[in-house]
Amino acid sequence: MRPHPDPVRPGQESVWSYPRPAIAQPADARIMIEHRGIVVASTRAAIRTLETSHPPSYYIPRADIAPDILRRAAGSSFCEWKGAATYWDVVIGDDVLPRIGWSYAKPTPGFASLRDHVAFYAAPFDRCSVDGETVVPQPGEFYGGWITSALAGPFKGIPGSRGW
């Protein structure tokens, strides 16, 4: 059952107007991740992926991620649109955030812009922001979207959304 999209207020975009299959496009925003007093990443060159019912996931250029903070994690997954994903731990001193990031070393042609970029789940970090606004993590254990006040839902991942 498809839900009823929330009303779109001025300055918002509805995740229900995002395409399916997903697309990737440059993000026109400052993306930041902070944890334990460290800036994990800061960029104005992120790529966001858009898919019906999902808030955007932001892919950050490796060059804009703090050096020596990523460690290859075990496991992989496959996206029907983007290809095979590699997972990353974030290591800050003795603090290890396991499998918190993912990337596509050889993305499909439609997602070639994601090469050399890493996306991150927002929940485990102290703060993730888009243009200074702290994001809310997309609900659900698998999804990596970042919710801001500029988005109208409802968002995939809430209870009952499995069939969306």
Side-chain angles (χ1 to χ4, degrees), residues 3 11 14 16 18 21 46-47 53 64-65 72 74 93-94 116 124 156 159-160:
S14 174
W16 292 94
Y18 291 167
I47 305 293
S53 78
D64 293 337
I65 299 170
R72 177 72 166 84
D94 293 334
D116 298 322
K156 176 87 170 180

Side-chain angles (χ1 to χ4, degrees), residues 36-95:
R36 304 282 190 257
I38 301 290
V39 174
V40 172
S42 178
T43 191
R44 290 199 65 85
I47 305 293
R48 69 181 193 158
T49 56
L50 305 178
E51 179 182 351
T52 304
S53 78
H54 292 263
S57 293
Y58 291 92
Y59 289 77
I60 299 169
R62 296 272 316 236
D64 293 337
I65 299 170
D68 303 319
I69 211 164
L70 294 177
R71 179 178 71 194
R72 177 72 166 84
S76 63
S77 64
F78 185 80
C79 172
E80 63 186 307
W81 297 306
K82 295 182 280 294
T86 299
Y87 286 88
W88 300 94
D89 298 336
V90 168
V91 181
I92 300 173
D94 293 334
D95 193 8

Side-chain angles (χ1 to χ4, degrees), residues 2 6 39-40 50 67 74 80 89 103 106 142 158:
R2 185 176 168 147
D6 293 339
V39 174
V40 172
L50 305 178
E80 63 186 307
D89 298 336
S103 63
K106 296 178 182 176
F142 182 74
I158 62 172

Side-chain angles (χ1 to χ4, degrees), residues 13 24-32 43-50 56-59 129-132 148 150:
E13 55 187 27
Q25 65 177 208
D28 185 27
R30 164 71 63 198
I31 306 301
M32 287 194 67
T43 191
R44 290 199 65 85
I47 305 293
R48 69 181 193 158
T49 56
L50 305 178
S57 293
Y58 291 92
Y59 289 77
S129 63
V130 176
D131 281 339
T148 66

Side-chain angles (χ1 to χ4, degrees), residues 99-118:
R99 290 178 53 96
I100 193 170
W102 68 96
S103 63
Y104 297 90
K106 296 178 182 176
T108 61
F111 289 88
S113 62
L114 299 184
R115 185 175 287 111
D116 298 322
H117 287 62
V118 180

